[in-house]
Amino acid sequence: MTIKKFINTVFMTEILKGMALTFRSMLTPAITRQYPKVKRSAAAGFRGEHAFVRDPETGREKCIGCGLCGAVCPSQCIHIYTSEDPETHKKIVDRYEIELLRCVYCAFCVEACPVGAISLTENYEYADYSREALYMTKEKLLANWDKFMAGKKGEEYFKKFWHPQANDFAAYAGQAVFNHKPKVEGK
Amino acid sequence: MGEIEEKDIDQGKKLGTQELTLSMGPQHPATHGVLRLVLELDGETVTKCTPYVGYLHRGVEKLGENKTYFSALPLTDRLDYISSMSNNVAYVVAVERLFGIEAPERAKYLRTIMSEMTRISSHIIWLGTHALDIGAMTVFLYSFREREWLLDLFEQACGARLTVSYPRIGGVRNDVSKEWLDSLYRFTQEFPARVDEYETLIDQNRIWLQRTKGIGVISAEEAINWGLTGGTLRGSGVNYDVRKAFPYDAYDKVEFEVPLGSAGDVYDRYRVRMGELRQANRIIKQCIEQMPDGPVLAPDAPKFILPAKENLFKNMESLIHHFVLLTKGPLTAPAGEIYSAAEVPKGELGFYIVSDGTGKPYRMRVRAPSFIHASVLPRLCEGGLVADVIANIGTIDIVLGECDR
């Protein structure tokens, strides 16, 4: 035991072992990305910049101006201004604004919206030099939908990720059940 | 430069020596955040150490009183921001115990998996930064490789990497896919080899041993008296783990050991946390293998949990519940108080919630392990060398977001 300890001390075996490991990992492929050149695609359902869902039937936003998103927002960054249509007596959403600089990206607004009118896109590159660019208006939000979520992606988004499913047992038909058998450890 | 004369030496004796006051932080890179320590030094020896906290105070406890139980969840993400999933779980378990609702089995297993994934990602960031502070740089690079893997899994599961807000009162937000479980299972198979790699680098390294063995020693009795929890307590050999003592979620259904140290020094606490990495991996593996199917949100608590979205315009009660829950909170919440703790990577994170029967908590107190651990710093540092202050800050594993709340 003491001879072994002596050899370890003199030849610095533990340090050599560590250096062998670092040398080995020099030969493995690099895992770092050169970010601005090589971009990383966010996973489906990523909580990035907001978008307003454009209704394919009317071509306008789906929002009914109920104000639930503003009520549930933990950072209170959603501002909604509505008025009443004098003829049909329906609520009109005049202004719908989100302060991106205050938003915490919890996506409770998406969860709260009863009509599925707001979503978060997979866009994470929206840094800017001015505050105005990060103050989202209704038009900007609708443009975001066209840019990032239009088509099938937007439809799947609500089915897959934004669906509080308390009573909905039918949704569990295709549920993931793991059926790997536990591996027997060799001796 | 001339020769030193006799009278110069005499003058030095007359002037005497003076203690040096050194202000370390709040921008010091080794203080893991905005911790400020005022050290009084006699040469290299620390004679007095005073921690100052509060640079990251955001008033989470007060904010919690002004938000509904549902909306307060993202606040807990920002307590200990590198283990946000565990904080979420601790909060929702506290609220569930207060309301008397039970999450479905599948949700419990998912939350257990997520807590243990967080434990791994938090411990490897602790290991990397702790080793970096002491002078071993390579571990830092290797540990971030595995952390990236886990953060990618978080992103696929819930759409966010750091501030996840994934658990919900009465379950979790959404189910995970089979591919996700497969990917996590691959991780659990590869991870033990990665832990061996970290150990190859530093476990027997003579510099590491010199910097950690016999440094910051605290006895078991003293550790209990200081209120330490988590790996910091278990390094002194006290067998206390909230997961074993007061099981929540699926911890009573999985087998795991609680690694214990004996000497109570920096090295033993390091060994304990390395053991916890392996145990966390084991828990995840068991959870995946035992994973039951079923709903992920409690289906039988309509007054506390958001109803299914397609029912909103079919069912009047659902619509009313939806609006009331989101604007006023659960108005049928029972009045009372509860203290509920969970074992987060840092230690015991407790939530003391007083409910007065309205939709918002009357009081939400957070027992933050980092705050209590920061208070033990003077005890660990005083009498030691100034270089060991860095090792002591690393070993108590504090995050100032949680400390200042």
Side-chain angles (χ1 to χ4, degrees), chain B residues 216-251:
Chain B
V217 182
I218 189 160
S219 69
E221 194 186 349
E222 232 178 330
I224 293 170
N225 289 347
W226 276 100
L228 304 184
T229 45
T232 320
L233 175 71
R234 291 192 286 270
S236 302
V238 183
N239 191 354
Y240 173 69
D241 188 320
V242 183
R243 294 173 292 173
K244 286 275 190 201
F246 311 101
Y248 54 98
D249 285 350
Y251 282 115

Side-chain angles (χ1 to χ4, degrees), chain B residues 171-238:
Chain B
V172 293
R173 199 188 89 179
N174 56 318
D175 204 351
V176 295
S177 66
K178 186 175 182 323
E179 292 74 39
W180 190 88
L181 281 181
D182 280 339
S183 179
L184 183 61
Y185 199 75
R186 271 201 304 285
F187 174 83
T188 58
Q189 281 173 324
E190 281 190 30
F191 186 64
R194 304 290 175 90
V195 182
D196 292 343
E197 278 187 9
Y198 310 145
E199 288 189 342
T200 313
L201 286 170
I202 52 173
D203 207 36
Q204 297 303 321
N205 187 305
R206 59 194 66 192
I207 306 167
W208 179 261
L209 293 181
Q210 275 174 13
R211 292 297 305 273
T212 56
K213 279 216 162 170
I215 308 294
V217 182
I218 189 160
S219 69
E221 194 186 349
E222 232 178 330
I224 293 170
N225 289 347
W226 276 100
L228 304 184
T229 45
T232 320
L233 175 71
R234 291 192 286 270
S236 302
V238 183

Side-chain angles (χ1 to χ4, degrees), chain B residues 56-113:
Chain B
L56 205 57
H57 178 68
R58 292 147 301 168
V60 166
E61 292 182 1
K62 192 70 192 167
L63 277 171
E65 294 169 18
N66 295 301
K67 298 201 181 302
T68 61
Y69 291 100
F70 183 81
S71 288
L73 186 72
L75 298 176
T76 61
D77 277 334
R78 287 152 182 82
L79 290 173
D80 170 7
Y81 36 78
I82 56 172
S83 53
S84 48
M85 197 73 93
S86 299
N87 302 339
N88 290 163
V89 170
Y91 173 72
V92 297
V93 167
V95 176
E96 279 172 16
R97 282 177 178 164
L98 177 69
F99 289 173
I101 56 179
E102 187 91 356
E105 281 295 290
R106 188 178 172 87
K108 284 185 174 180
Y109 273 93
L110 278 174
R111 293 204 300 221
T112 311
I113 287 178

Side-chain angles (χ1 to χ4, degrees), chain A residues 17-84:
Chain A
K17 268 185 205 163
M19 287 171 92
L21 176 70
T22 46
F23 185 78
R24 271 207 305 283
S25 58
M26 265 200 308
L27 305 174
T28 55
I31 56 156
T32 43
R33 270 181 224 98
Q34 302 300 323
Y35 164 60
K37 290 175 193 159
V38 184
K39 276 181 187 160
R40 177 180 180 284
S41 59
F46 184 76
R47 310 203 304 243
E49 198 184 11
H50 309 66
F52 237 19
V53 178
R54 195 187 282 281
D55 196 343
E57 288 167 18
T58 59
R60 297 178 69 244
E61 75 276 2
K62 273 188 177 176
C63 180
I64 51 171
C66 67
L68 267 189
C69 47
V72 79
C73 182
S75 55
Q76 297 168 4
C77 67
I78 303 176
H79 309 288
I80 309 157
Y81 303 91
T82 54
S83 60
E84 196 184 295

Side-chain angles (χ1 to χ4, degrees), chain A residues 8-9 12 14 25 31 40 42-43 46-47 72 74 104 108 110-113 162-164 166 175-176 178, chain B residues 67 71 78 106 142 145 152 155 158-159 161 163-164 168 173 175 178 182 204 206 294 299 308-310 322:
Chain A
N8 281 348
T9 314
M12 299 195 285
E14 88 282 357
S25 58
I31 56 156
R40 177 180 180 284
F46 184 76
R47 310 203 304 243
V72 79
V104 296
F108 281 2
V110 186
E111 214 154 312
C113 184
W162 296 107
H163 207 231
Q175 194 170 39
F178 199 77
Chain B
K67 298 201 181 302
S71 288
R78 287 152 182 82
R106 188 178 172 87
Y142 286 14
R145 180 184 58 190
D152 282 348
E155 186 188 332
C158 66
R161 294 162 67 79
T163 49
V164 287
R168 288 285 180 275
R173 199 188 89 179
D175 204 351
K178 186 175 182 323
D182 280 339
Q204 297 303 321
R206 59 194 66 192
K309 231 172 216 181
E310 70 258 25
H322 190 77

Side-chain angles (χ1 to χ4, degrees), chain B residues 88-391:
Chain B
N88 290 163
V89 170
Y91 173 72
V92 297
V93 167
V95 176
E96 279 172 16
R97 282 177 178 164
L98 177 69
F99 289 173
I101 56 179
E102 187 91 356
E105 281 295 290
R106 188 178 172 87
K108 284 185 174 180
Y109 273 93
L110 278 174
R111 293 204 300 221
T112 311
I113 287 178
M114 295 296 180
S115 300
E116 293 307 312
M117 281 166 71
T118 314
R119 193 178 312 279
I120 291 178
S121 80
S122 173
H123 275 4
I124 54 186
I125 202 174
W126 162 82
L127 176 71
T129 50
H130 185 40
L132 186 69
D133 291 345
I134 293 183
M137 182 152 183
T138 321
V139 192
F140 179 74
L141 304 172
Y142 286 14
S143 59
F144 267 66
R145 180 184 58 190
E146 274 72 69
R147 183 177 148 79
E148 190 67 18
W149 192 344
L150 284 172
L151 292 190
D152 282 348
L153 286 171
F154 279 148
E155 186 188 332
Q156 287 159 22
C158 66
R161 294 162 67 79
L162 205 64
T163 49
V164 287
S165 297
Y166 176 68
R168 288 285 180 275
I169 296 160
V172 293
R173 199 188 89 179
N174 56 318
D175 204 351
V176 295
S177 66
K178 186 175 182 323
E179 292 74 39
W180 190 88
L181 281 181
D182 280 339
S183 179
L184 183 61
Y185 199 75
R186 271 201 304 285
F187 174 83
T188 58
Q189 281 173 324
E190 281 190 30
F191 186 64
R194 304 290 175 90
V195 182
D196 292 343
E197 278 187 9
Y198 310 145
E199 288 189 342
T200 313
L201 286 170
I202 52 173
D203 207 36
Q204 297 303 321
N205 187 305
R206 59 194 66 192
I207 306 167
W208 179 261
L209 293 181
Q210 275 174 13
R211 292 297 305 273
T212 56
K213 279 216 162 170
I215 308 294
V217 182
I218 189 160
S219 69
E221 194 186 349
E222 232 178 330
I224 293 170
N225 289 347
W226 276 100
L228 304 184
T229 45
T232 320
L233 175 71
R234 291 192 286 270
S236 302
V238 183
N239 191 354
Y240 173 69
D241 188 320
V242 183
R243 294 173 292 173
K244 286 275 190 201
F246 311 101
Y248 54 98
D249 285 350
Y251 282 115
D252 49 351
K253 298 189 188 76
V254 288
E255 280 177 22
F256 64 100
E257 287 154 21
V258 180
L260 292 177
S262 54
D265 59 359
V266 176
Y267 186 75
D268 269 30
R269 290 192 275 271
Y270 151 76
R271 288 300 317 156
V272 164
R273 295 204 174 101
M274 294 308 269
E276 279 183 13
L277 281 179
R278 290 207 168 82
Q279 295 301 325
N281 193 59
R282 200 175 143 200
I283 295 173
I284 296 176
K285 212 170 182 177
Q286 288 177 53
C287 282
I288 298 175
E289 279 155 10
Q290 297 174 15
M291 179 71 90
D293 55 353
V296 291
L297 260 178
D300 51 356
K303 289 193 172 152
F304 301 106
I305 293 158
L306 295 187
K309 231 172 216 181
E310 70 258 25
N311 288 351
L312 291 187
F313 291 107
K314 291 181 198 157
N315 189 343
M316 182 55 112
E317 285 82 4
S318 291
L319 191 64
I320 293 168
H321 284 150
H322 190 77
F323 270 72
V324 170
L325 271 175
L326 291 174
T327 52
K328 296 213 159 56
L331 292 176
T332 48
E337 57 181 44
I338 192 152
Y339 175 78
S340 162
E343 185 78 16
V344 299
K346 305 281 177 291
E348 174 183 329
L349 176 69
F351 281 93
Y352 173 66
I353 300 175
V354 182
S355 162
D356 56 355
T358 58
K360 294 168 183 170
Y362 178 76
R363 174 85 170 96
M364 187 177 95
R365 155 99 179 120
V366 184
R367 184 221 184 264
S370 293
F371 179 69
I372 289 150
H373 290 181
S375 72
V376 82
L377 262 177
R379 160 68 188 77
L380 295 178
C381 295
E382 279 168 15
L385 296 179
V386 70
D388 297 334
V389 173
I390 302 296

